[in-house]
Amino acid sequence: MSLIQIIALDEAHIHIVNDANDPFPIIGRIMPSYMDGKWTYVEELDEKVREITFPDDRLDWKQYIEHDSRILFLAIDADECVGQIRLVKDWNRFAYIEKYSGPSNTS
């Protein structure tokens, strides 16, 4: 098993940026509830498992390389992109997650 490396996007890795958009199963939903100052949830499993895939993003990836207000990190496992997270600096100086994609399980 190799170690996963986290790297900032550079021009050499633009060609693998969408590789983490693998299909993943939808097995149900989580139903949150807030009552009496406490959060709880119930898992509701579907009878049939569905699979979905997010479409590949078609962006100017160079806008995420050495940019002051945005960055994209890739998770690389043995030369394969297994995840990504895009962060954008907002007007209030905090960052928000523009997109996350990664493995559907950790095994």
Side-chain angles (χ1 to χ4, degrees):
M1 174 185 250
S2 63
L3 294 176
I4 293 177
Q5 293 182 305
I6 306 298
I7 63 167
L9 180 65
D10 57 22
E11 289 198 39
H13 291 92
I14 288 175
H15 70 283
I16 63 169
V17 76
N18 282 311
D19 288 357
N21 290 343
D22 290 340
F24 59 94
I26 302 294
I27 62 170
R29 65 195 53 73
I30 295 177
M31 307 295 286
S33 176
Y34 186 74
M35 294 179 62
D36 299 324
K38 185 177 177 184
W39 281 101
T40 60
Y41 69 93
V42 175
E43 294 180 8
E44 187 177 286
L45 299 178
D46 293 337
E47 289 184 27
K48 186 175 180 182
V49 175
R50 297 177 292 130
E51 186 175 271
I52 66 169
T53 303
F54 289 119
D56 287 348
D57 293 314
R58 298 183 197 317
L59 301 174
D60 179 2
W61 297 114
K62 292 180 183 179
Q63 294 293 316
Y64 291 86
I65 299 172
E66 297 181 19
H67 197 279
D68 288 344
S69 63
R70 63 183 67 199
I71 192 164
L72 189 152
F73 291 104
L74 299 175
I76 307 292
D77 185 11
D79 297 326
E80 179 183 357
C81 179
V82 295
Q84 69 162 262
I85 188 166
R86 294 193 319 238
L87 303 172
V88 176
K89 182 179 176 182
D90 211 350
W91 61 271
N92 59 8
R93 299 179 315 194
F94 293 101
Y96 67 88
I97 297 172
E98 187 177 62
K99 179 181 179 181
Y100 164 80
S101 62
S104 58
N105 63 43
T106 56
S107 58

